[in-house]
């Protein structure tokens, strides 16, 4: 992470570089990065919806970028610049280094869905990675039948159980 910190520093992404220098990204670092992202887009006349914890992983934020009547092309570029400067590296490291645990209601519904498709599990709790099987990708890089079923079960149940969630991110 120290090499990433140097790279970010050289690119002028000081806030993210400072986080990486510590060698880990904490929840408070993640929250602070989101606040900086929110301020950046707000200063440009856009806004972000209030973040909600993603029930699929129990750690990541689900939110929506709001254009506030501005043209899409300019908004996309502005949003991308704000993400690059304040969010992407911190968010990626946090999501990839923090233990994931699916919301219990979603977990139960997903287990039921998988069992109905012939993939029963005895796990009491866990993450999507625990449900996709030992080999989630085949030799061609496509999802295995079990992994595809798990992803679809999670996606379908997330929509049913969390209809107000601004976006859904499903990864393992």
């Amino acid at each position: 992470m120290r090499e990433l910190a140097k790279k970010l520093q050289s690119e002028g992404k000081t806030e993210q570089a400072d986080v990486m220098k510590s060698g880990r990204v904490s929840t408070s670092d993640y929250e602070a990065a989101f606040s900086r992202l929110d301020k950046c887009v707000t200063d440009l006349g856009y806004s972000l919806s209030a973040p909600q914890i993603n029930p699929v992983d129990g750690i990541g934020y689900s939110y929506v970028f709001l254009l506030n009547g501005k043209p899409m092309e300019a908004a996309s570029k502005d949003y991308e610049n704000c993400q690059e400067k304040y969010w992407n590296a911190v968010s990626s490291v946090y999501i990839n280094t923090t233990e994931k645990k699916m919301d219990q209601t979603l977990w139960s519904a997903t287990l039921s869905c998988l069992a109905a498709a012939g993939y029963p599990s005895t796990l009491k709790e866990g993450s999507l990675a625990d449900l996709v099987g030992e080999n989630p990708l085949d030799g061609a890089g496509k999802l295995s039948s079990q992994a595809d079923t798990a992803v679809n079960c999670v996606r379908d149940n997330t929509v049913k159980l969390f209809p107000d969630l601004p976006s859904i991110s499903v990864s393992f």
Side-chain angles (χ1 to χ4, degrees):
M1 240 194 291
R2 294 195 189 343
E3 286 301 313
L4 178 56
K6 288 178 187 175
K7 180 179 184 299
L8 291 166
Q9 188 68 47
S10 73
E11 294 171 353
K13 300 169 186 168
T14 306
E15 293 84 354
Q16 291 188 91
D18 289 346
V19 171
M20 298 304 157
K21 286 177 188 173
S22 73
R24 64 182 287 274
V25 177
S26 68
T27 300
S28 61
D29 293 329
Y30 183 71
E31 292 167 349
F34 184 82
S35 291
R36 287 188 291 274
L37 172 65
D38 186 45
K39 181 176 179 352
C40 181
V41 299
T42 300
D43 287 351
L44 294 172
Y46 311 104
S47 57
L48 300 177
S49 67
Q52 295 179 5
I53 297 294
N54 181 353
V56 176
D57 64 22
I59 58 169
Y61 282 166
S62 292
Y63 63 91
V64 175
F65 173 63
L66 304 166
L67 302 177
N68 297 339
K70 295 192 172 228
M72 175 62 102
E73 188 173 314
S76 292
K77 180 110 174 100
D78 288 342
Y79 180 53
E80 183 179 311
N81 289 338
C82 287
Q83 284 184 305
E84 282 296 319
K85 182 159 180 138
Y86 298 107
W87 178 248
N88 287 348
V90 169
S91 176
S92 179
V93 170
Y94 180 75
I95 295 300
N96 288 300
T97 61
T98 303
E99 183 179 358
K100 295 165 183 64
K101 183 178 167 191
M102 192 179 294
D103 172 87
Q104 188 60 47
T105 305
L106 179 57
W107 177 263
S108 296
T110 301
L111 287 182
S112 295
C113 177
L114 283 167
Y119 302 105
S121 174
T122 58
L123 295 172
K124 299 286 185 212
E125 61 183 29
S127 68
L128 178 57
D130 297 320
L131 301 176
V132 296
E134 286 189 33
N135 298 306
L137 300 175
D138 66 16
K142 294 175 79 178
L143 288 177
S144 68
S145 178
Q146 181 175 345
D148 186 56
T149 301
V151 167
N152 287 324
C153 286
V154 166
R155 190 175 293 126
D156 293 347
N157 283 303
T158 301
V159 170
K160 288 177 196 169
L161 295 169
F162 302 93
D164 295 330
L165 194 65
S167 63
I168 299 170
S169 176
V170 179
S171 61
F172 52 90

